[in-house]
Amino acid sequence: MQWFAEQNAIFQAFLATLFTWGVTAMGAALVFLAKDFSKKMLDVMLGFAGGVMMAASYWSLLAPAIEMSGDLGTWSFVPAAVGFVLGAAFLRLVDVFLPHLHLNAPMSEAEGVKTSWQRSTLLVTAITLHNIPEGLAVGVAFGAVAAGLDSASLAGAVSLALGIGIQNFPEGTAVSVPLRREGMSRMKAFLYGQASGMVEPVAAVLGAAAVLFMRPVLPYALAFAAGAMIFVVVEEVIPESQASGNGDLATMGVVSGFTLMMALDVALG
């Protein structure tokens, strides 16, 4: 931990998201154990991922953004509000233009611009959308520590990366297992599943660099990552977890994920 603490924030963010990518690969690797998994279990896991993302959005991102804008007095919410809306709007634009397909949806419901991409590629693209704000959040968190934000700590940034990593496990599984179910080889399904996490180190490095080189944008950057994550949770993760009639179980997954991330952030942050 001492060696890690001495590294540059951008390198810390890169290493942390290599971990989260690795956990995505671990989840995708479950395809080597079985061709199929219980749909109930997959829905609970997706709900759990959504709960982690919601808790991280507040405790690790929005709350510090509001706190560091305290000198604005009554208007201290403005940077957080502006960043939050911009983050959601950015993901909405990506959602409109980037070709992707939600889990369990037929090809006729593919979103984004028209494309000849195969179903497998569209599924990976959809999960990659989840990982952009997750990587960005980790990068901004480490950047906040390096920038000297009072409410930011290395332990808190590490806990965020740990929470994101934990919820990446079901996301990797949620890609590889359906692909295997459709007849794809185990190795190819695994490679597609882990590929969805490759964007996180890139987003993390960009987020950390933006904060370090443009210190005044920090509260906006924190809230931007939060808005992007909440958009993904509400627009994709929770609806997908509820679509197969396992709503009660998926909801308990959300509660479990939210509680775990809250505990990690408060205990370690």
Side-chain angles (χ1 to χ4, degrees), residues 204-221:
V205 167
L206 291 175
V211 168
L212 286 176
F213 297 120
M214 295 180 287
R215 175 67 168 74
V217 307
L218 180 52
Y220 297 92

Side-chain angles (χ1 to χ4, degrees), residues 56-58 60-69 76-91 133 136-137 140-141 144 149 211 217-231:
S57 294
Y58 177 73
S60 298
L61 300 170
L62 280 176
I66 294 172
E67 181 177 336
M68 74 173 302
S69 303
S76 61
F77 68 90
V78 171
V82 171
F84 188 84
V85 171
L86 289 177
F90 171 73
L91 257 291
L136 182 63
V140 169
L149 178 61
V211 168
V217 307
L218 180 52
Y220 297 92
L222 288 165
F224 183 96
M229 285 216 289
I230 291 297
F231 178 89

Side-chain angles (χ1 to χ4, degrees), residues 16-97:
T17 45
L18 284 183
F19 162 75
T20 62
W21 177 14
V23 179
T24 303
M26 290 171 60
L30 290 185
V31 76
F32 291 112
L33 302 179
K35 183 176 181 178
D36 204 357
F37 283 83
S38 164
K39 191 67 181 68
K40 289 182 180 180
M41 179 58 67
L42 288 175
D43 287 343
V44 170
M45 292 168 73
L46 276 176
F48 178 88
V52 168
M53 293 171 74
M54 285 194 292
S57 294
Y58 177 73
W59 271 279
S60 298
L61 300 170
L62 280 176
I66 294 172
E67 181 177 336
M68 74 173 302
S69 303
D71 58 336
L72 297 178
T74 306
W75 298 97
S76 61
F77 68 90
V78 171
V82 171
F84 188 84
V85 171
L86 289 177
F90 171 73
L91 257 291
R92 174 55 183 160
L93 284 175
V94 175
D95 191 62
V96 168
F97 292 105

